[in-house]
Amino acid sequence: KKIKTLKNKYKNKRCFIIGNGPSLNKIDLNLLKDEFTFGVNSIFYKYDQIGFKPYFYTVEDEEVMKENKKRISTFICNYNFFPSHYKKYLSNNPNTYFFNLNRSFYEKKSNFFEIPQFSNYLSRRAYCGQSVTIINLQIAYYLGFSEIYLIGMDFSYQQRKDDVKIGNKIISGGDDLNHFHKDYFGKGKIWHDPKLHNVLKSYKFAKLKFEDDNRKIFNSTEGGKLEVFERVDFKSLF
């Protein structure tokens, strides 16, 4: 019921979905102070560095939630979106919105294992798609945004010799090379095999969903390897 009040609240407006790749350090985030922005996971390191806080904040990965639950619970943005099964980690507050998360994309026994889905109705559920960005695209769609600009989406990962891989989990052996801050998944922290081929499938499906509704996703990342979406120079937007 709480999420239903947000349906099309930002219809025909633009927003920025922020990835946490190294290229984010090339972006002047001060330009976004009056924009609607989506931040994820450990974006709070940017708050520590330059005082930047996104308008919307989301976490999908449970390892991120478990390792940072104290910080996440106190990182209050205008809207905080979390899967409902994270209620056990968080104290509720008026800015928090819990949604049902369908994890069939990750379940080998599911008919939708590694097959993208996209929710038109966040009040019912959102679908996983190998990246928290896929969740944010579904939230942005439900809220009515018509122009989505992605930044910090480098779409490339390095794994070092001293990283330890156990199944789909990777235990970092040193400073993080794949994100904007060295401690993001620093030594001893757990991250997941990014499986970029699966992320690509989900991006392509999300692109179709937006375009079918005369809306569009753009890539305004500085460099990177994501070429699914039309590129627009970040600085040209201001």
Side-chain angles (χ1 to χ4, degrees), residues 67-207:
E67 289 185 343
N68 301 282
K69 59 185 178 183
K70 185 175 181 180
R71 186 68 195 272
I72 290 170
S73 66
T74 58
F75 191 65
I76 308 302
C77 299
N78 295 73
Y79 295 90
N80 288 38
F81 289 98
F82 302 110
S84 57
H85 59 280
Y86 290 166
K87 287 182 180 180
K88 59 189 175 185
Y89 298 121
L90 301 166
S91 54
N92 204 350
N93 70 72
N95 296 36
T96 299
Y97 292 76
F98 290 104
F99 59 89
N100 297 316
L101 184 62
N102 182 302
R103 293 178 47 83
S104 57
F105 191 91
Y106 303 133
E107 306 295 339
K108 290 184 177 180
K109 293 181 180 180
S110 168
N111 291 330
F112 286 93
F113 175 59
E114 297 189 343
I115 296 176
Q117 297 181 82
F118 191 97
S119 174
N120 293 351
Y121 300 99
L122 182 69
S123 56
R124 298 179 188 172
R125 69 185 64 82
Y127 294 101
C128 292
Q130 203 68 56
S131 168
V132 65
T133 303
I134 306 304
I135 305 294
N136 276 337
L137 285 170
Q138 291 170 81
I139 296 172
Y141 186 94
Y142 188 80
L143 298 181
F145 288 105
S146 59
E147 291 183 14
I148 316 294
Y149 295 92
L150 307 179
I151 60 173
M153 304 290 182
D154 292 51
F155 205 63
S156 62
Y157 287 85
Q158 303 177 59
Q159 189 177 336
R160 295 158 304 198
K161 292 180 180 178
D162 54 354
D163 290 343
V164 178
K165 187 171 183 180
I166 305 172
N168 286 327
K169 293 183 179 181
I170 301 168
I171 303 172
S172 179
D175 289 349
D176 191 339
L177 304 175
N178 299 311
H179 296 87
F180 68 85
H181 194 285
K182 65 181 180 62
D183 295 331
Y184 194 99
F185 285 128
K187 189 172 183 178
K189 288 191 175 182
I190 296 172
W191 52 295
H192 288 95
D193 182 348
K195 295 186 178 180
L196 293 181
H197 63 288
N198 277 340
V199 181
L200 190 62
K201 286 190 290 189
S202 294
Y203 277 152
K204 288 179 177 179
F205 192 60
K207 180 183 180 182

